[in-house]
Amino acid sequence: MSMTILTVDDSRTMRDMLNLALSEAGYRVVHAIDGEHGLEVLRAEKPDIVITDINMPRLDGYGFIEAVRDDPGFRNLPILVLTTENAPDKKERARKAGATGWIVKPFNAEKLVSVVRRVAA
């Protein structure tokens, strides 16, 4: 049985790129269009890993990560941040919120899959 990865990103193009890279690597991919939707999909699908953007409408990535970590059932869920941001203070804020790792867009599909395999192990 393949692992399920939840991608949370308001960009349809980014969701499509993630879907292609991850499904070709054998993962089942489910999507959410922002942090609020991400929490709904998270509870319904119970993914093995989450990949989230930071800058999104309704609920940004920081708020989404904090909400996930507030749920005891998801405290140990690996959460990767995939964003155009690379400022050290933003990375630190994500880490404090509970992010497992950080990947800068645009991403390389092979490197992304490698990071996913690492955090899933």
Side-chain angles (χ1 to χ4, degrees):
M1 186 168 126
S2 67
M3 287 200 298
T4 298
I5 300 176
L6 166 60
T7 66
V8 185
D9 200 305
D10 57 321
S11 163
R12 175 183 210 77
T13 302
M14 190 53 58
R15 291 192 309 268
D16 289 349
M17 289 169 61
L18 285 164
N19 186 56
L20 183 64
L22 296 167
S23 60
E24 281 186 355
Y27 296 103
R28 178 175 170 261
V29 185
V30 293
H31 304 283
I33 58 171
D34 60 33
E36 288 285 334
H37 185 222
L39 293 173
E40 293 170 24
V41 177
L42 177 82
R43 292 182 184 111
E45 295 285 342
K46 302 199 176 12
D48 300 289
I49 298 172
V50 173
I51 300 174
T52 184
D53 189 15
I54 289 293
N55 301 309
M56 299 180 287
R58 296 204 303 163
L59 180 64
D60 69 10
Y62 301 118
F64 171 75
I65 294 166
E66 288 165 355
V68 171
R69 293 300 183 223
D70 283 344
D71 184 324
F74 296 111
R75 289 244 166 88
N76 298 317
L77 178 69
I79 301 174
L80 297 173
V81 173
L82 179 65
T83 182
T84 55
E85 304 284 351
N86 65 1
D89 61 319
K90 299 208 177 202
K91 288 183 183 179
E92 183 60 24
R93 184 173 171 202
R95 215 178 344 261
K96 283 184 175 166
T100 310
W102 188 277
I103 302 165
V104 177
K105 293 177 188 174
F107 68 90
N108 169 295
E110 289 167 16
K111 284 183 183 169
L112 175 75
V113 170
S114 171
V115 171
V116 165
R117 287 192 175 126
R118 222 172 310 136
V119 300

